Amino acid sequence: MSPNKTQFITGSTGNLGRELVKRFLERTSDRLLLLVRPSASDSHESRVSKLLAKMGINGNSKSRIEVLAGDVSQPRLGLSEKDWFRVVEEADEIYHVAALTNLGAKWDEAEKINLWGTANILELAKAAHRQGKLKRYFHFSTAYVAGSLTPLR
C-alpha cells in the first residue's frame, strides 16, 4: 500500500470516477475528498452513500471518505470558503474526472461543465500548487469523433 495521501476527486459518482474511488479504497490507505453535486432528489452525501453501498464498501474504507458539496461548473467549485481552503491546503493529488459525456447534450451545458468546470478545477490546482502541498494533477478528458471519416491516402 502507498503512504497516506489526500486525494481530491471530482466526478466520483460517474462510471470512471466510481472505479477510481473503488481502486483507491482497495489499494491504498489514502483519504479521499470527493466533490459531489447534490441532485434534485438526493443530497451530495446520500448520493455517495448509495454508491458505496452498491460497491459493497463500508466500515474502515468508508471512514476514509469525506464528501464535499459542490459543482465544478460554479466559481470555486461551489465549495464553501472553509472547504476550498481545506482542499488547497490538504490535497496531495487532484483527479478531475467530472465531465458531461452525453453527445446529445446542449452546447451551453457541455461548455459549462467540460470547459468552465475544467477552468475552475485548474484554479484550485494552481492555488494548491502555490500552497506547496499538491504533487500531481490528473485530468481525465472526454474525446469523441462524430460523423464519418475518410482515410487519408
Side-chain angles (χ1 to χ4, degrees), residues 26-85:
E26 290 174 348
R27 299 177 183 184
T28 75
S29 54
D30 295 352
R31 185 169 63 112
L32 308 181
L33 301 176
L34 307 180
L35 180 74
V36 178
R37 179 178 37 90
S39 70
S41 59
D42 283 323
S43 71
H44 59 290
E45 292 162 328
S46 177
R47 290 184 70 198
V48 172
S49 290
K50 288 177 181 179
L51 176 74
L52 296 175
K54 282 183 185 176
M55 294 189 311
I57 294 170
N58 51 38
N60 190 39
S61 290
K62 192 173 180 179
S63 69
R64 294 176 18 224
I65 295 174
E66 185 172 348
V67 184
L68 305 175
D71 182 336
V72 295
S73 69
Q74 299 300 311
R76 287 200 161 191
L77 307 173
L79 290 167
S80 68
E81 186 172 346
K82 177 184 168 193
D83 285 342
W84 171 269
F85 285 109

Side-chain angles (χ1 to χ4, degrees), residues 131-142:
Q131 186 69 24
K133 177 85 169 164
L134 183 68
K135 294 174 185 64
R136 292 187 180 135
Y137 168 83
F138 300 90
H139 177 91
F140 293 74
S141 179
T142 56

